[in-house]
Amino acid sequence: MIKIAFTGNPNVGKSALINAIAGSNLKVGNWAGVTVEKKEAEFEYKGEKIQCIDLPGVYSLSPYTLEEMITRDFIINEKPDVVINIVDSTNLERNLYLTMLLKELGRPMIMALNFYDEFEKLNYKLDTKKFEELVEMDVVMTSATKKTGLQELLDRALEIAKNKKDEVEYTLLFDNCLQDAIEVVKCKINCDETLLKASKKFGINFLAIKLIERDSHLLEILKEEYGYSLDQEIVKSAEQLELDHDEDVETILAEGRYGTVKGILARTFTTSMKSRLDFTDKIDRILLNKYLGLPIFLLIIVGLMGTVFNGSAPLIDWVDGFVNNYIGKYVGMLIDENTPAWLASLVVDGILGGVGGVVVFVPLMLYLYFFLALLEESGYMSRVAFLMDRIMTKLGLNGKAFVPMVLGFGCTVPAIYATRTLEDDSSRRLTAAMAPFMSCGARLPVYGLFTAAFFGAKAGLVVMSLYVLGITVAILTGLILKNFKMFKSEGKALLIELPPYRVPSLRVIVKSTLTRTTSYLKKATTIIMGMLMILWALTYFPNNGDTANSYMAKFGKTFQGVLKPTGFADRWETVAAIPPSLAAKEIVVGFMAQVLVGDNGAQEEEEEAPTTFFEDTTEQVVGLGIAIKDSVLAVVSFDVKGLFSVPEASEIEEEGNGIVAATKMLWTDNLAPLRAYSFMVYILLVVPCVVTLGAIKQEFGYKFTGFIIGLLLVVPYVVSTLIFQIGRLFF
Amino acid sequence: MKLTDLKRGESARIVKIGKIGELKKRLVDMGVTAGEVIRLERNAPLGDPQEFIVKSTNIAIRKQDAQNIEVEKN
């Protein structure tokens, strides 16, 4: 098998290129132990098995950031047969710096000069022959959008890989005094047995440079694995260098590399007067404008939410109906009188319900990933950080954390996945801990029911206050959490590159959308299904479907005492509704219907006229057509108000007969509205649905998920109690 | 003078990057080294961070960090 590693700066079109080469074989995962995306593909080409690994985009190979460590360690430890070094041909000087660093690692390499179509448009010229000679590797012009050079790149990479060179010793072209210092260390390495052994692994150039740099990461490894500690002679020569240059060695070396790059370009490259930044500058004058910048950004965010949540809503309804009414009906037919009632219920309510719970999110994910990819590929995403940084620093976060928070208003699940756009783990965690407090769409039916029952005309105001409360609690929680070590991201100064705007290729966006959605589906199923099954069992047993006497009801009665201070716990029904709300917050409404009104609502559905398989299928296909049409209409209409509108009382009534009236009877004392409000606050702030938990587990692991669950049990308890206890003083 | 003393659209040559920890290494890796010409492109709408152009790359850093970068006008 041939192992090809793809590496390059961020924003050099690496993903587009690897997508174009590996196509549908691309699998997305995580690097072991971290949430940095790992894209891999295996396929056969010309009778050879090829494995492509897309390394994270980096500017350098220092041990400071996770991405750089992954890239550097992968090339050193896994020794890929060939490294494809992707370079943005419109920004050669900066991009070639990484090339110089990669050369130090001494692996067989090939360079892809990407965006070559743009390069030509700018009238830049490069003497390729001479350039190849100077950078000491093959160079192929590529363009992922135009699909040029891809085949040649792969062919040449294969050729190099088949030559099976273990190490390539490239020439380093530093100035004399630097070169001398490196040569001295190289001599030392050749004389020292342990260092010689280490140089087999790291390559002699890399080892020599890292020794002069006194790179802490590498020195640790040398000490642990080889029992080597730094030579005094090396330390002295490094200190002399620093004294001569009045700079630290790392900077001297970096400047040396840039010098080399300048030298190479001076002999091979001619630029034109045209600048690739003209177009970008024109757009940024509007999008980053002092006065227009923020309003436009808010419009884009509102548009994004409107499109993602409103646009996917008709499709979500269709998928829901497809699973429950269509698949559910035919699965139901397989169950005959001999099937035990619990098994029938497990299959229909437990398993099918669970599958439904996961797949209804697919349209949402498709829309979300599509528009996030659009923002990323076009270059706007990094501008978000630029615009919002000032505000978000107050929370110890940087500007990028704004997007996941806003998405949380629609649905917490994509908000959790969107934390991936943040670069450090502590910010990711802090954002993920705050996002669940944003009031998501699924809470609206619950608000609808309880405001209809207890607040009447003031419903809108009450719901608005819940939104504000959610935001306030999120900010307060953030302010407190940011002082803890796990969330502290101080010292992480902001440095963002604002890449030039590019018209993104639709194919690339669609591909990345599909890859990410399928990886959601694959991984989301296990944990979520398991938890939904448990919740099903707790509401079904021990009395086979009698909810009012289920374990869940017992749970409610048991925990009434603990929750007493919150004010809503004098009725066990509300307490018992909390665990099922984990399946999905809107289930509270259904649960209330079951325990307060009884099961008569469900019976009516059975009396529909029998339909044939053909009729059912046609109905589903027609329904899909309508859903697609509605979805498009919803995207075009930009109806943002719809996102925040609470369902009407009449709509809720359809869920079960007389549920609003029954809910009204929950409390009749003069504190009733306060109790209802306290309950809504609790549902707003309590542990989010299992799909969100699944996402958190997937991104941050079990330990952090446990922490979030704990946090989201304490916070709602405290807030609800405060609201009730303080509120009652005024009633 | 300090990098933060630049006005919009003005350029200057970098003299020295002071002690700003890890950020210095990251800046140097992106080509922000002594001798390079740097231009203040714009401030963010809320005043901070600032966008600069070095080596035909647009980067943004916060004012508190830009303060530690010494520049001189030609």
Side-chain angles (χ1 to χ4, degrees):
Chain A
M1 182 153 71
I2 289 175
K3 225 192 277 182
I4 305 178
F6 288 69
T7 167
N9 279 189
N11 311 311
V12 294
K14 203 153 55 74
S15 302
L17 199 69
I18 194 164
N19 262 319
I21 290 175
S24 53
N25 298 298
L26 212 57
K27 288 185 183 60
V28 185
N30 280 346
W31 290 94
V34 292
T35 52
V36 179
E37 230 165 62
K38 180 182 194 179
K39 287 190 218 142
E40 263 183 319
E42 263 176 50
F43 56 90
E44 246 177 75
Y45 181 74
K46 295 195 171 164
E48 291 281 349
K49 246 196 171 162
I50 297 176
Q51 186 189 25
C52 292
I53 303 103
D54 184 13
L55 296 170
V58 293
Y59 294 107
S60 131
L61 298 173
S62 68
Y64 296 118
T65 70
L66 216 53
E67 283 80 2
E68 293 181 3
M69 220 136 70
I70 290 171
T71 301
R72 155 177 163 165
D73 290 349
F74 184 87
I75 296 175
I76 290 172
N77 297 329
E78 304 289 319
K79 297 219 182 290
D81 297 296
V82 57
V83 175
I84 294 187
N85 170 21
I86 299 162
V87 162
D88 174 356
S89 59
T90 62
N91 190 355
L92 280 175
E93 193 178 342
R94 204 207 54 213
N95 271 254
L96 287 178
Y97 178 77
L98 181 66
T99 307
M100 296 298 130
L101 288 163
L102 288 167
K103 278 169 84 175
E104 287 163 20
L105 290 176
R107 295 304 305 163
M109 248 201 294
I110 177 168
M111 188 188 292
L113 279 179
N114 206 18
F115 296 127
Y116 195 66
D117 46 335
E118 283 183 37
F119 180 90
E120 283 185 320
K121 240 187 251 163
L122 291 167
N123 281 331
Y124 288 172
K125 295 269 179 307
L126 185 73
D127 180 348
T128 332
K129 263 236 143 65
K130 195 151 201 185
F131 183 73
E132 276 187 325
E133 217 173 276
L134 291 171
V135 294
E136 299 173 282
M137 65 185 85
D138 284 3
V139 171
V140 182
M141 320 290 178
T142 59
S143 159
T145 29
K146 296 253 155 72
K147 279 205 158 190
T148 49
L150 302 177
Q151 180 117 23
E152 195 192 345
L153 183 68
L154 198 57
D155 283 341
R156 288 232 227 157
L158 268 190
E159 219 174 281
I160 295 168
K162 278 189 193 152
N163 280 341
K164 280 277 173 216
K165 264 200 202 143
D166 197 43
E167 194 188 327
V168 191
E169 197 178 334
Y170 298 99
T171 15
L172 303 175
L173 295 162
F174 289 115
D175 67 45
N176 288 341
C177 100
L178 215 53
Q179 198 79 47
D180 288 347
I182 293 170
E183 285 307 321
V184 171
V185 181
K186 272 197 195 172
C187 261
K188 266 210 120 46
I189 295 173
N190 279 323
C191 300
D192 187 317
E193 234 170 81
T194 33
L195 283 180
L196 204 59
K197 222 166 41 185
S199 80
K200 291 276 174 299
K201 179 173 177 181
F202 297 104
I204 188 153
N205 279 328
F206 183 73
L207 187 63
I209 286 173
K210 289 294 139 183
L211 284 175
I212 301 190
E213 277 184 0
R214 289 158 292 171
D215 178 290
S216 55
H217 182 71
L218 189 84
L219 284 177
E220 235 168 75
I221 296 175
L222 285 181
K223 193 161 203 172
E224 264 171 40
E225 284 178 28
Y226 302 89
Y228 172 86
S229 30
L230 198 55
D231 203 292
Q232 270 313 304
E233 221 174 300
I234 296 175
V235 177
K236 266 205 194 111
S237 74
E239 280 170 351
Q240 190 56 45
L241 263 178
E242 292 187 333
L243 216 64
D244 293 345
H245 286 78
D246 185 30
E247 262 305 351
D248 54 271
V249 182
E250 283 182 349
T251 311
I252 301 169
L253 281 162
E255 283 172 355
R257 290 184 197 108
Y258 271 112
T260 315
V261 170
K262 272 199 178 127
I264 294 174
L265 291 179
R267 294 164 68 186
T268 54
F269 176 67
T270 25
T271 93
S272 68
M273 291 305 285
K274 270 194 206 166
S275 164
R276 74 192 177 113
L277 296 175
D278 280 353
F279 171 66
T280 293
D281 185 50
K282 274 189 197 125
I283 299 180
D284 270 345
R285 266 182 208 187
I286 302 164
L287 291 188
L288 299 182
N289 182 280
K290 194 171 175 189
Y291 305 103
L292 294 176
L294 285 175
I296 291 177
F297 167 64
L298 290 179
L299 267 181
I300 290 177
I301 286 293
V302 162
L304 174 81
M305 283 183 64
T307 320
V308 170
F309 296 111
N310 289 338
S312 61
L315 292 167
I316 288 176
D317 285 345
W318 179 81
V319 172
D320 193 32
F322 182 77
V323 173
N324 289 319
N325 304 338
Y326 184 71
I327 297 184
K329 177 177 170 185
Y330 290 97
V331 171
M333 279 181 183
L334 295 176
I335 298 165
D336 54 21
E337 293 115 59
N338 298 329
T339 319
W342 68 268
L343 186 63
S345 174
L346 171 69
V347 171
V348 175
D349 302 327
I351 298 179
L352 261 181
V355 172
V358 173
V359 295
V360 289
F361 279 99
V362 168
L364 182 72
M365 290 295 171
L366 282 173
Y367 268 81
L368 175 83
Y369 286 140
F370 183 87
F371 288 100
L372 281 184
L374 186 71
L375 288 186
E376 271 167 30
E377 294 289 319
S378 66
Y380 189 71
M381 204 55 127
S382 52
R383 268 107 183 146
V384 171
F386 182 67
L387 289 166
M388 294 307 293
D389 187 67
R390 186 73 188 271
I391 295 174
M392 300 305 282
T393 35
K394 300 262 187 304
L395 288 166
L397 290 170
N398 82 33
K400 285 184 192 169
F402 194 76
V403 174
M405 298 286 193
V406 172
L407 288 173
F409 283 120
C411 174
T412 322
V413 180
I416 299 293
Y417 287 114
T419 58
R420 283 217 167 170
T421 47
L422 307 177
E423 57 274 285
D424 70 304
D425 262 357
S426 28
S427 312
R428 255 180 220 154
R429 278 195 288 262
L430 188 58
T431 314
M434 289 165 68
F437 294 125
M438 303 291 151
S439 197
C440 74
R443 282 131 165 160
L444 286 174
V446 184
Y447 300 162
L449 173 62
F450 281 83
T451 48
F454 294 98
F455 292 95
K458 280 187 230 125
L461 207 64
V462 170
V463 173
M464 185 57 83
S465 79
L466 286 166
Y467 274 100
V468 175
L469 183 83
I471 298 168
T472 316
V473 172
I475 291 173
L476 288 176
T477 311
L479 287 174
I480 295 169
L481 287 182
K482 77 167 188 175
N483 300 309
F484 291 94
K485 207 177 146 220
M486 187 162 51
F487 299 99
K488 215 176 235 168
S489 56
E490 272 173 299
K492 281 268 173 205
L494 179 80
L495 172 60
I496 22 177
E497 185 191 352
L498 307 177
Y501 288 109
R502 292 202 159 92
V503 180
S505 128
L506 187 66
R507 221 166 36 86
V508 170
I509 294 181
V510 168
K511 187 121 269 170
S512 112
T513 310
L514 292 179
T515 331
R516 286 185 187 179
T517 310
T518 33
S519 99
Y520 154 76
L521 248 185
K522 263 184 218 151
K523 285 188 267 172
T525 33
T526 45
I527 181 171
I528 297 163
M529 289 282 292
M531 285 165 82
L532 288 171
M533 223 90 92
I534 293 170
L535 285 171
W536 165 82
L538 291 177
T539 41
Y540 187 81
F541 293 115
N543 289 322
N544 293 349
D546 178 7
T547 315
N549 290 302
S550 63
Y551 287 120
M552 208 57 97
K554 284 204 183 100
F555 167 90
K557 285 166 194 161
T558 316
F559 280 88
Q560 261 186 293
V562 183
L563 285 165
K564 195 116 216 167
T566 60
F568 63 79
D570 56 341
R571 294 295 299 255
W572 66 265
E573 290 91 339
T574 47
V575 180
I578 293 164
S581 82
L582 286 181
K585 299 270 173 165
E586 63 265 41
I587 282 184
V588 171
V589 176
F591 185 82
M592 285 296 165
Q594 274 185 3
V595 293
L596 294 177
V597 191
D599 235 355
N600 51 8
Q603 300 294 320
E604 284 169 34
E605 286 173 32
E606 308 286 323
E607 287 164 29
E608 279 171 38
T611 44
T612 64
F613 177 71
F614 178 75
E615 281 169 347
D616 285 340
T617 312
T618 323
E619 193 194 321
Q620 289 301 324
V621 174
V622 172
L624 178 61
I626 295 171
I628 291 173
K629 196 191 87 198
D630 286 349
S631 164
V632 173
L633 285 178
V635 168
V636 182
S637 72
F638 275 104
D639 174 25
V640 179
K641 231 176 68 199
L643 277 178
F644 300 99
S645 63
V646 173
E648 299 276 321
S650 59
E651 267 174 60
I652 296 162
E653 286 290 1
E654 281 171 24
E655 297 266 332
N657 294 340
I659 175 175
V660 175
T663 305
K664 248 182 215 161
M665 299 312 292
L666 265 175
W667 300 292
T668 45
D669 61 338
N670 59 346
L671 288 177
L674 188 60
R675 293 183 199 278
Y677 192 76
S678 168
F679 180 66
M680 284 190 283
V681 169
Y682 199 90
I683 290 295
L684 158 67
L685 302 177
V686 80
V687 182
C689 66
V690 279
V691 190
T692 305
L693 289 179
I696 295 178
K697 191 255 134 195
Q698 192 184 327
E699 293 293 295
F700 303 97
Y702 278 114
K703 219 175 120 194
F704 185 73
T705 313
F707 170 80
I708 289 289
I709 293 175
L711 178 78
L712 298 180
L713 285 174
V714 174
V715 172
Y717 186 85
V718 172
V719 179
S720 282
T721 304
L722 281 175
I723 286 177
F724 181 70
Q725 298 301 339
I726 296 173
R728 68 194 286 186
L729 301 176
F730 297 93
F731 273 84
Chain B
M1 62 191 273
K2 290 175 190 163
L3 186 53
T4 39
D5 295 335
L6 283 185
K7 291 196 186 70
R8 252 186 94 164
E10 275 185 338
S11 310
R13 197 169 287 279
I14 298 171
V15 177
K16 194 169 169 65
I17 303 176
K19 286 224 159 28
I20 38 176
E22 194 189 296
L23 179 65
K24 174 170 179 177
K25 173 83 178 112
R26 287 164 66 206
L27 282 171
V28 168
D29 286 336
M30 289 181 92
V32 185
T33 53
E36 284 298 327
V37 172
I38 188 165
R39 191 171 109 110
L40 174 62
E41 192 67 1
R42 62 171 61 81
N43 293 336
L46 298 169
D48 200 11
Q50 295 182 303
E51 180 186 349
F52 300 95
I53 298 189
V54 195
K55 275 194 205 295
S56 64
T57 300
N58 298 42
I59 56 158
I61 55 176
R62 293 188 184 130
K63 278 183 176 168
Q64 65 179 84
D65 295 317
Q67 234 174 5
N68 294 309
I69 298 174
E70 204 181 306
V71 295
E72 65 177 10
K73 284 234 187 110
N74 296 20

